[in-house]
Amino acid sequence: MLDFLIDRGDHLAVSRAAISAIDATADIAKTLQIQRGDVLLQFVSQLYNSAGKVIDYSSSYFIPGYFHFHVNRRVDDELPDEFIQ
């Protein structure tokens, strides 16, 4: 999706993600072939353009123990002040 937005000419600025541990719902458990109630890592992200508008929203689920995450995300080197925290 990121490549599509860049190729389309969107001026991307920042992506913010919240990472939480959650219990798998019945629907998610069935899709991932795990038990309902198993612990998952949920990533909920919003991608903003340089005007501060959300242009992409995503929610992803990961089974703990299979991945090692290192989060380091940046699209634009010249961020407006409101994006720098």
Side-chain angles (χ1 to χ4, degrees):
M1 181 55 112
L2 184 60
D3 289 336
F4 169 78
L5 294 171
I6 291 170
D7 289 345
R8 187 173 77 171
D10 287 308
H11 189 91
L12 308 177
V14 68
S15 177
R16 295 200 175 114
I19 304 170
S20 304
I22 65 163
D23 292 336
T25 63
D27 291 340
I28 294 169
K30 182 177 179 181
T31 301
L32 295 176
Q33 299 179 359
I34 60 175
Q35 296 296 312
R36 183 171 41 100
D38 283 356
V39 176
L40 296 172
L41 293 177
Q42 179 187 40
F43 286 45
V44 177
S45 301
Q46 297 87 30
L47 177 62
Y48 296 83
N49 66 12
S50 59
K53 180 181 175 185
V54 175
I55 59 170
D56 185 49
Y57 173 88
S58 65
S59 182
S60 306
Y61 302 92
F62 299 91
I63 299 169
Y66 289 97
F67 297 96
H68 174 78
F69 291 102
H70 178 88
V71 180
N72 187 6
R73 299 165 60 141
R74 187 174 208 160
V75 177
D76 192 331
D77 289 335
E78 297 179 20
L79 298 176
D81 289 340
E82 64 268 16
F83 289 118
I84 300 173
Q85 295 182 2

Coordinates of all heavy atoms in Angstrom, one line a residue:
M1 N 0.8 -1.2 0.0 CA 0.0 0.0 0.0 C 0.9 1.3 0.0 O 0.6 2.2 -0.7 CB -0.9 0.0 1.2 CG -1.8 1.2 1.3 SD -2.8 1.4 -0.2 CE -4.4 1.1 0.4
L2 N 2.0 1.2 0.8 CA 2.8 2.4 0.8 C 3.4 2.7 -0.5 O 3.4 3.9 -0.9 CB 4.0 2.2 1.9 CG 4.9 3.3 2.1 CD1 4.2 4.5 2.6 CD2 6.0 2.9 3.1
D3 N 3.9 1.7 -1.3 CA 4.4 2.0 -2.6 C 3.3 2.6 -3.5 O 3.6 3.5 -4.3 CB 4.9 0.7 -3.2 CG 6.2 0.2 -2.6 OD1 6.9 1.1 -2.0 OD2 6.5 -1.0 -2.6
F4 N 2.1 2.1 -3.4 CA 1.0 2.6 -4.3 C 0.8 4.1 -4.0 O 0.7 4.9 -4.9 CB -0.3 1.8 -4.0 CG -1.5 2.5 -4.6 CD1 -1.8 2.4 -6.0 CD2 -2.4 3.2 -3.8 CE1 -2.9 3.0 -6.5 CE2 -3.5 3.8 -4.3 CZ -3.7 3.7 -5.7
L5 N 0.7 4.5 -2.7 CA 0.5 5.9 -2.3 C 1.7 6.8 -2.8 O 1.4 7.9 -3.2 CB 0.3 6.0 -0.8 CG -0.9 5.3 -0.2 CD1 -0.9 5.3 1.3 CD2 -2.2 6.0 -0.8
I6 N 2.9 6.3 -2.6 CA 4.0 7.1 -3.1 C 4.0 7.2 -4.6 O 4.2 8.3 -5.1 CB 5.4 6.4 -2.6 CG1 5.5 6.6 -1.1 CG2 6.6 7.1 -3.3 CD1 6.6 5.8 -0.5
D7 N 3.8 6.1 -5.3 CA 3.7 6.2 -6.8 C 2.6 7.1 -7.3 O 2.7 7.7 -8.3 CB 3.5 4.8 -7.4 CG 4.7 3.9 -7.3 OD1 5.8 4.5 -7.0 OD2 4.6 2.7 -7.4
R8 N 1.5 7.2 -6.5 CA 0.3 8.0 -6.8 C 0.7 9.5 -6.6 O 0.0 10.4 -7.2 CB -0.8 7.6 -6.0 CG -2.1 8.3 -6.3 CD -3.3 7.7 -5.6 NE -3.3 8.2 -4.2 CZ -4.3 8.0 -3.4 NH1 -5.3 7.3 -3.7 NH2 -4.2 8.4 -2.1
G9 N 1.7 9.8 -5.9 CA 2.1 11.2 -5.7 C 1.8 11.8 -4.4 O 1.9 13.0 -4.2
D10 N 1.2 11.0 -3.5 CA 0.9 11.5 -2.2 C 2.1 11.9 -1.4 O 3.1 11.2 -1.5 CB 0.1 10.4 -1.3 CG -1.3 10.2 -1.8 OD1 -2.0 11.2 -2.0 OD2 -1.6 9.0 -2.1
H11 N 2.1 13.0 -0.8 CA 3.2 13.5 0.0 C 3.0 13.0 1.4 O 2.3 13.5 2.2 CB 3.3 15.0 0.0 CG 4.6 15.5 0.6 ND1 5.7 15.7 -0.1 CD2 4.9 15.8 1.9 CE1 6.7 16.1 0.7 NE2 6.2 16.2 2.0
L12 N 3.7 11.8 1.8 CA 3.5 11.2 3.0 C 4.4 11.8 4.1 O 5.5 12.1 3.8 CB 3.7 9.7 2.9 CG 3.0 9.0 1.8 CD1 3.4 7.6 1.7 CD2 1.5 9.2 2.0
A13 N 3.9 11.9 5.3 CA 4.7 12.6 6.4 C 5.0 11.6 7.5 O 6.2 11.5 7.8 CB 3.9 13.8 6.9
V14 N 4.1 11.0 8.1 CA 4.3 10.2 9.3 C 3.3 9.1 9.5 O 2.2 9.2 9.0 CB 4.3 11.1 10.6 CG1 3.0 11.7 10.9 CG2 5.0 10.4 11.7
S15 N 3.7 8.0 10.1 CA 2.8 7.0 10.4 C 2.9 6.7 11.9 O 4.0 6.7 12.5 CB 3.2 5.7 9.7 OG 2.3 4.6 10.1
R16 N 1.7 6.7 12.6 CA 1.7 6.4 14.0 C 1.0 5.1 14.2 O 0.0 4.8 13.6 CB 0.9 7.5 14.7 CG 1.6 8.9 14.6 CD 1.2 9.8 15.7 NE 2.0 11.0 15.6 CZ 1.5 12.2 15.3 NH1 0.2 12.4 15.0 NH2 2.3 13.3 15.2
A17 N 1.6 4.3 15.1 CA 1.1 2.9 15.3 C 1.0 2.7 16.8 O 1.8 3.1 17.6 CB 2.0 1.9 14.7
A18 N -0.1 2.1 17.2 CA -0.3 1.6 18.6 C -0.2 0.1 18.6 O -0.8 -0.6 17.7 CB -1.7 2.0 19.1
I19 N 0.6 -0.4 19.5 CA 0.8 -1.8 19.6 C 0.2 -2.3 20.9 O 0.6 -1.8 22.0 CB 2.3 -2.2 19.5 CG1 2.9 -1.6 18.2 CG2 2.5 -3.7 19.6 CD1 4.4 -1.7 18.1
S20 N -0.7 -3.3 20.9 CA -1.4 -3.8 22.1 C -1.4 -5.3 22.1 O -1.5 -5.9 21.0 CB -2.8 -3.2 22.2 OG -2.8 -1.8 22.1
A21 N -1.5 -5.9 23.3 CA -1.7 -7.3 23.4 C -3.2 -7.4 23.6 O -3.8 -6.7 24.5 CB -1.0 -7.8 24.6
I22 N -3.9 -8.3 22.8 CA -5.3 -8.5 22.9 C -5.6 -10.0 22.9 O -4.8 -10.8 22.6 CB -6.0 -7.8 21.7 CG1 -5.7 -8.5 20.4 CG2 -5.8 -6.3 21.7 CD1 -6.6 -8.2 19.3
D23 N -6.8 -10.4 23.3 CA -7.3 -11.7 23.2 C -7.9 -11.9 21.8 O -8.7 -11.0 21.4 CB -8.4 -12.0 24.3 CG -7.8 -12.0 25.7 OD1 -6.6 -12.2 25.8 OD2 -8.6 -11.8 26.6
A24 N -7.6 -13.0 21.2 CA -8.2 -13.3 19.8 C -9.7 -13.5 19.9 O -10.2 -14.3 20.7 CB -7.5 -14.5 19.2
T25 N -10.4 -12.8 19.1 CA -11.9 -13.0 19.0 C -12.1 -14.3 18.2 O -11.2 -14.8 17.6 CB -12.6 -11.9 18.2 OG1 -12.0 -11.8 16.9 CG2 -12.3 -10.5 19.0
A26 N -13.3 -14.8 18.2 CA -13.6 -16.0 17.4 C -13.3 -15.9 15.9 O -12.7 -16.8 15.4 CB -15.1 -16.4 17.6
D27 N -13.6 -14.8 15.3 CA -13.3 -14.6 13.9 C -11.9 -14.6 13.6 O -11.4 -15.2 12.6 CB -14.0 -13.3 13.4 CG -15.5 -13.3 13.4 OD1 -16.1 -14.4 13.4 OD2 -16.1 -12.3 13.3
I28 N -11.1 -13.8 14.4 CA -9.7 -13.7 14.2 C -9.0 -15.1 14.4 O -8.1 -15.5 13.7 CB -9.1 -12.6 15.0 CG1 -9.6 -11.2 14.6 CG2 -7.5 -12.6 15.0 CD1 -9.3 -10.1 15.5
A29 N -9.4 -15.7 15.5 CA -8.8 -17.0 15.9 C -9.1 -18.0 14.7 O -8.1 -18.8 14.4 CB -9.5 -17.6 17.1
K30 N -10.2 -18.0 14.1 CA -10.5 -19.0 13.0 C -9.6 -18.7 11.8 O -9.0 -19.6 11.2 CB -12.0 -18.8 12.6 CG -12.4 -19.8 11.5 CD -13.9 -19.7 11.2 CE -14.2 -20.6 10.1 NZ -15.6 -20.5 9.7
T31 N -9.5 -17.4 11.5 CA -8.6 -17.0 10.4 C -7.2 -17.4 10.6 O -6.5 -17.9 9.7 CB -8.7 -15.5 10.1 OG1 -10.1 -15.1 9.9 CG2 -7.8 -15.0 9.0
L32 N -6.7 -17.2 11.8 CA -5.3 -17.5 12.1 C -5.0 -18.9 12.6 O -3.9 -19.3 12.9 CB -4.8 -16.5 13.2 CG -4.7 -15.1 12.8 CD1 -4.3 -14.2 14.0 CD2 -3.8 -14.8 11.6
Q33 N -6.1 -19.7 12.7 CA -6.1 -21.1 13.1 C -5.4 -21.2 14.5 O -4.5 -22.0 14.7 CB -5.3 -21.9 12.0 CG -6.0 -21.9 10.7 CD -5.3 -22.8 9.7 OE1 -4.2 -23.3 9.9 NE2 -5.8 -22.8 8.5
I34 N -6.0 -20.4 15.4 CA -5.6 -20.5 16.8 C -6.8 -20.6 17.6 O -7.9 -20.6 17.1 CB -4.7 -19.2 17.2 CG1 -5.5 -18.0 17.0 CG2 -3.4 -19.2 16.4 CD1 -4.8 -16.7 17.5
Q35 N -6.6 -20.7 18.9 CA -7.8 -20.8 19.8 C -8.3 -19.4 20.2 O -7.6 -18.4 20.4 CB -7.4 -21.5 21.2 CG -6.9 -22.9 21.0 CD -8.1 -23.8 20.5 OE1 -9.2 -23.7 21.0 NE2 -7.8 -24.6 19.4
R36 N -9.7 -19.3 20.3 CA -10.3 -18.1 20.8 C -9.7 -17.7 22.1 O -9.6 -18.6 23.0 CB -11.8 -18.2 20.8 CG -12.5 -16.9 21.2 CD -14.0 -17.1 21.1 NE -14.5 -18.4 21.5 CZ -15.1 -18.5 22.7 NH1 -15.3 -17.6 23.6 NH2 -15.6 -19.7 23.0
G37 N -9.3 -16.5 22.4 CA -8.8 -16.1 23.6 C -7.3 -16.1 23.7 O -6.7 -15.6 24.6
D38 N -6.6 -16.7 22.7 CA -5.1 -16.7 22.6 C -4.7 -15.3 22.5 O -5.3 -14.4 21.9 CB -4.6 -17.5 21.4 CG -4.6 -19.0 21.6 OD1 -5.0 -19.4 22.7 OD2 -4.3 -19.7 20.7
V39 N -3.5 -15.0 23.1 CA -3.0 -13.6 23.1 C -2.4 -13.3 21.7 O -1.6 -14.1 21.1 CB -1.9 -13.4 24.2 CG1 -1.3 -12.0 24.1 CG2 -2.6 -13.6 25.5
L40 N -2.7 -12.1 21.2 CA -2.1 -11.6 19.9 C -1.6 -10.2 20.1 O -2.0 -9.5 21.1 CB -3.2 -11.5 18.8 CG -3.9 -12.8 18.4 CD1 -5.1 -12.5 17.5 CD2 -2.9 -13.7 17.7
L41 N -0.6 -9.8 19.3 CA -0.2 -8.4 19.2 C -1.0 -7.8 18.1 O -1.0 -8.3 17.0 CB 1.3 -8.3 18.9 CG 2.2 -8.8 20.0 CD1 3.7 -8.7 19.5 CD2 2.0 -8.1 21.3
Q42 N -1.7 -6.7 18.4 CA -2.4 -5.9 17.5 C -1.7 -4.6 17.2 O -1.4 -3.9 18.1 CB -3.8 -5.7 18.0 CG -4.7 -4.9 17.0 CD -6.0 -4.4 17.6 OE1 -6.1 -4.0 18.7 NE2 -7.1 -4.5 16.8
F43 N -1.5 -4.3 15.9 CA -0.9 -3.1 15.5 C -2.0 -2.3 14.8 O -2.6 -2.8 13.8 CB 0.2 -3.3 14.4 CG 1.5 -3.8 15.0 CD1 1.5 -4.8 15.9 CD2 2.7 -3.2 14.6 CE1 2.7 -5.3 16.4 CE2 3.9 -3.7 15.0 CZ 3.9 -4.8 16.0
V44 N -2.3 -1.1 15.3 CA -3.3 -0.2 14.7 C -2.5 1.0 14.2 O -1.9 1.7 15.1 CB -4.5 0.1 15.6 CG1 -5.4 1.1 15.0 CG2 -5.2 -1.1 16.1
S45 N -2.5 1.3 12.9 CA -1.7 2.4 12.4 C -2.5 3.4 11.6 O -3.5 3.0 10.9 CB -0.6 1.8 11.5 OG 0.2 0.9 12.1
Q46 N -2.1 4.6 11.6 CA -2.6 5.7 10.8 C -1.5 6.3 10.0 O -0.5 6.7 10.7 CB -3.4 6.8 11.6 CG -4.6 6.3 12.3 CD -4.3 5.8 13.7 OE1 -3.3 6.2 14.3 NE2 -5.0 4.8 14.1
L47 N -1.6 6.5 8.7 CA -0.6 7.1 7.9 C -1.1 8.5 7.5 O -2.2 8.6 7.0 CB -0.3 6.3 6.6 CG 0.7 6.9 5.6 CD1 2.0 7.0 6.2 CD2 0.7 5.9 4.4
Y48 N -0.3 9.5 7.8 CA -0.7 10.9 7.5 C 0.0 11.5 6.4 O 1.2 11.2 6.2 CB -0.4 11.8 8.8 CG -1.2 11.4 10.0 CD1 -0.8 10.4 10.8 CD2 -2.4 12.1 10.4 CE1 -1.5 10.0 12.0 CE2 -3.1 11.8 11.5 CZ -2.6 10.7 12.3 OH -3.3 10.4 13.4
N49 N -0.7 12.4 5.6 CA 0.0 13.2 4.6 C 0.6 14.4 5.2 O 0.4 14.7 6.4 CB -0.9 13.4 3.4 CG -2.0 14.4 3.7 OD1 -2.1 15.0 4.7 ND2 -3.0 14.4 2.8
S50 N 1.3 15.2 4.4 CA 1.9 16.4 4.9 C 1.0 17.5 5.4 O 1.3 18.4 6.2 CB 2.9 17.0 3.9 OG 2.1 17.4 2.7
A51 N -0.3 17.4 5.0 CA -1.3 18.3 5.5 C -2.0 17.8 6.8 O -2.8 18.5 7.4 CB -2.4 18.5 4.5
G52 N -1.5 16.7 7.3 CA -2.0 16.1 8.6 C -3.3 15.3 8.5 O -3.9 14.9 9.4
K53 N -3.7 15.0 7.2 CA -4.9 14.2 7.0 C -4.5 12.7 6.9 O -3.5 12.3 6.4 CB -5.5 14.5 5.6 CG -6.7 13.8 5.3 CD -7.2 14.2 3.9 CE -8.4 13.3 3.5 NZ -8.9 13.6 2.2
V54 N -5.3 11.8 7.6 CA -5.1 10.4 7.6 C -5.5 9.9 6.2 O -6.6 10.1 5.7 CB -6.0 9.7 8.7 CG1 -5.8 8.2 8.5 CG2 -5.6 10.1 10.1
I55 N -4.5 9.2 5.6 CA -4.8 8.7 4.2 C -4.8 7.2 4.2 O -5.1 6.6 3.2 CB -3.8 9.3 3.2 CG1 -2.4 9.0 3.5 CG2 -4.1 10.8 3.0 CD1 -1.5 9.3 2.4
D56 N -4.4 6.5 5.3 CA -4.4 5.1 5.3 C -4.6 4.7 6.8 O -4.0 5.3 7.7 CB -3.2 4.4 4.7 CG -3.2 2.9 4.7 OD1 -4.3 2.4 4.2 OD2 -2.3 2.3 5.2
Y57 N -5.4 3.6 7.0 CA -5.6 3.1 8.3 C -5.5 1.6 8.2 O -6.0 1.0 7.3 CB -7.0 3.4 8.8 CG -7.4 2.8 10.1 CD1 -7.1 3.4 11.3 CD2 -8.1 1.6 10.1 CE1 -7.4 2.8 12.5 CE2 -8.4 0.9 11.3 CZ -8.1 1.5 12.5 OH -8.4 0.9 13.7
S58 N -4.7 1.0 9.1 CA -4.6 -0.5 9.1 C -4.6 -1.1 10.5 O -4.2 -0.4 11.5 CB -3.3 -0.9 8.4 OG -2.2 -0.4 9.1
S59 N -5.0 -2.3 10.5 CA -5.0 -3.1 11.7 C -4.4 -4.5 11.4 O -4.9 -5.1 10.5 CB -6.4 -3.2 12.3 OG -6.4 -3.9 13.5
S60 N -3.4 -4.9 12.1 CA -2.7 -6.1 11.8 C -2.6 -6.9 13.1 O -2.5 -6.4 14.2 CB -1.3 -5.9 11.2 OG -1.4 -5.1 10.1
Y61 N -2.5 -8.3 13.0 CA -2.4 -9.1 14.1 C -1.3 -10.1 14.0 O -1.0 -10.6 12.9 CB -3.7 -10.0 14.3 CG -5.0 -9.1 14.4 CD1 -5.7 -8.7 13.3 CD2 -5.4 -8.7 15.7 CE1 -6.8 -7.9 13.5 CE2 -6.5 -7.9 15.8 CZ -7.2 -7.5 14.7 OH -8.3 -6.7 14.8
F62 N -0.5 -10.3 15.1 CA 0.7 -11.1 15.1 C 0.6 -12.1 16.3 O 0.3 -11.7 17.4 CB 1.9 -10.3 15.1 CG 2.1 -9.4 13.9 CD1 1.6 -8.1 14.0 CD2 2.7 -9.8 12.8 CE1 1.7 -7.2 12.9 CE2 2.8 -8.9 11.7 CZ 2.3 -7.6 11.8
I63 N 1.0 -13.3 16.0 CA 1.1 -14.3 17.1 C 2.5 -14.1 17.8 O 3.5 -14.2 17.2 CB 1.0 -15.7 16.6 CG1 -0.4 -15.9 15.9 CG2 1.2 -16.8 17.7 CD1 -0.5 -17.2 15.1
P64 N 2.5 -13.8 19.1 CA 3.7 -13.6 19.9 C 4.6 -14.9 19.7 O 4.2 -16.0 19.7 CB 3.3 -13.4 21.3 CG 1.9 -13.0 21.2 CD 1.3 -13.7 20.0
G65 N 5.9 -14.6 19.7 CA 6.9 -15.7 19.7 C 7.4 -16.0 18.3 O 8.4 -16.7 18.1
Y66 N 6.7 -15.6 17.3 CA 7.1 -15.8 15.9 C 7.8 -14.7 15.3 O 8.4 -14.8 14.2 CB 5.8 -16.2 15.0 CG 5.3 -17.5 15.4 CD1 4.2 -17.6 16.2 CD2 5.8 -18.7 14.8 CE1 3.6 -18.8 16.5 CE2 5.3 -19.9 15.1 CZ 4.2 -20.0 16.0 OH 3.7 -21.2 16.3
F67 N 7.7 -13.5 15.8 CA 8.3 -12.3 15.3 C 9.1 -11.5 16.3 O 8.8 -11.6 17.5 CB 7.2 -11.3 14.7 CG 6.4 -11.9 13.6 CD1 5.2 -12.5 13.9 CD2 6.9 -11.9 12.3 CE1 4.5 -13.1 12.9 CE2 6.1 -12.4 11.3 CZ 4.9 -13.0 11.6
H68 N 10.1 -10.8 15.9 CA 10.9 -9.9 16.7 C 10.7 -8.5 16.0 O 11.1 -8.4 14.9 CB 12.4 -10.3 16.8 CG 13.2 -9.3 17.5 ND1 13.2 -9.2 18.8 CD2 14.0 -8.3 17.0 CE1 14.0 -8.2 19.2 NE2 14.5 -7.6 18.1
F69 N 10.1 -7.6 16.7 CA 9.8 -6.3 16.1 C 10.8 -5.2 16.6 O 11.2 -5.1 17.7 CB 8.4 -5.8 16.5 CG 7.3 -6.7 15.9 CD1 6.7 -7.6 16.6 CD2 7.0 -6.5 14.6 CE1 5.7 -8.4 16.1 CE2 6.0 -7.3 14.0 CZ 5.3 -8.3 14.8
H70 N 11.2 -4.4 15.6 CA 12.0 -3.2 15.8 C 11.3 -2.2 15.0 O 11.2 -2.2 13.8 CB 13.4 -3.4 15.4 CG 14.2 -2.2 15.5 ND1 14.9 -1.9 16.7 CD2 14.4 -1.1 14.7 CE1 15.5 -0.7 16.6 NE2 15.3 -0.3 15.4
V71 N 10.6 -1.2 15.7 CA 9.8 -0.2 15.0 C 10.6 1.0 14.8 O 11.1 1.7 15.8 CB 8.5 0.1 15.8 CG1 7.7 1.2 15.1 CG2 7.7 -1.2 16.1
N72 N 10.8 1.4 13.5 CA 11.6 2.6 13.1 C 10.9 3.1 11.9 O 11.3 2.6 10.8 CB 13.0 2.3 13.0 CG 13.9 3.5 12.7 OD1 13.4 4.6 12.8 ND2 15.2 3.3 12.5
R73 N 10.0 4.0 11.9 CA 9.2 4.4 10.8 C 9.4 5.9 10.5 O 9.1 6.7 11.3 CB 7.8 4.0 11.0 CG 7.6 2.6 11.2 CD 6.2 2.3 11.8 NE 5.2 2.7 11.0 CZ 4.1 2.0 10.8 NH1 3.9 0.9 11.4 NH2 3.1 2.5 10.0
R74 N 9.7 6.2 9.2 CA 9.8 7.5 8.8 C 9.7 7.5 7.2 O 10.3 6.7 6.6 CB 11.1 8.2 9.2 CG 11.2 9.6 8.9 CD 12.4 10.2 9.4 NE 12.1 11.6 9.7 CZ 12.8 12.4 10.5 NH1 13.8 11.9 11.2 NH2 12.5 13.6 10.7
V75 N 8.9 8.5 6.7 CA 8.7 8.6 5.3 C 9.3 9.8 4.8 O 10.0 9.8 3.7 CB 7.2 8.6 4.9 CG1 7.0 8.7 3.4 CG2 6.5 7.2 5.4
D76 N 9.2 10.9 5.5 CA 9.7 12.3 5.0 C 10.7 12.8 5.9 O 10.5 12.9 7.1 CB 8.4 13.2 4.9 CG 8.7 14.5 4.1 OD1 9.9 14.9 4.2 OD2 7.8 15.0 3.5
D77 N 11.8 13.3 5.4 CA 12.8 13.9 6.3 C 12.5 15.3 6.7 O 13.1 15.8 7.7 CB 14.2 14.0 5.5 CG 14.8 12.6 5.4 OD1 14.5 11.7 6.2 OD2 15.6 12.4 4.4
E78 N 11.5 16.0 6.0 CA 11.2 17.4 6.4 C 9.8 17.4 7.0 O 8.8 17.7 6.3 CB 11.3 18.3 5.2 CG 12.7 18.3 4.7 CD 12.9 19.2 3.4 OE1 12.0 20.1 3.2 OE2 13.8 19.1 2.7
L79 N 9.6 17.0 8.2 CA 8.3 17.0 8.8 C 7.9 18.3 9.4 O 8.7 19.0 10.0 CB 8.3 15.9 10.0 CG 8.6 14.5 9.6 CD1 8.7 13.6 10.9 CD2 7.6 14.0 8.6
P80 N 6.6 18.6 9.3 CA 6.1 19.8 10.0 C 6.2 19.7 11.5 O 6.2 18.6 12.0 CB 4.6 19.9 9.5 CG 4.5 19.0 8.4 CD 5.6 18.0 8.5
D81 N 6.3 20.8 12.2 CA 6.5 20.7 13.6 C 5.5 19.9 14.4 O 5.8 19.3 15.3 CB 6.6 22.2 14.2 CG 7.8 22.9 13.8 OD1 8.8 22.3 13.5 OD2 7.8 24.2 13.9
E82 N 4.2 19.9 13.9 CA 3.2 19.2 14.6 C 3.3 17.7 14.6 O 2.7 17.0 15.3 CB 1.8 19.6 14.1 CG 1.5 19.2 12.6 CD 1.8 20.4 11.6 OE1 2.5 21.3 12.0 OE2 1.4 20.2 10.5
F83 N 4.2 17.2 13.7 CA 4.4 15.7 13.6 C 5.6 15.3 14.5 O 5.8 14.1 14.7 CB 4.7 15.3 12.1 CG 3.5 15.4 11.3 CD1 3.4 16.2 10.2 CD2 2.4 14.6 11.5 CE1 2.3 16.3 9.4 CE2 1.3 14.6 10.7 CZ 1.2 15.4 9.7
I84 N 6.4 16.2 14.9 CA 7.6 15.8 15.7 C 7.3 15.9 17.1 O 6.8 16.9 17.7 CB 8.8 16.8 15.4 CG1 9.1 16.7 13.9 CG2 10.0 16.5 16.2 CD1 10.1 17.8 13.4
Q85 N 7.5 14.7 17.8 CA 7.1 14.6 19.2 C 8.3 14.0 20.0 O 9.0 13.2 19.6 CB 5.9 13.8 19.4 CG 4.7 14.4 18.8 CD 3.4 13.6 19.1 OE1 3.4 12.6 19.7 NE2 2.3 14.1 18.6

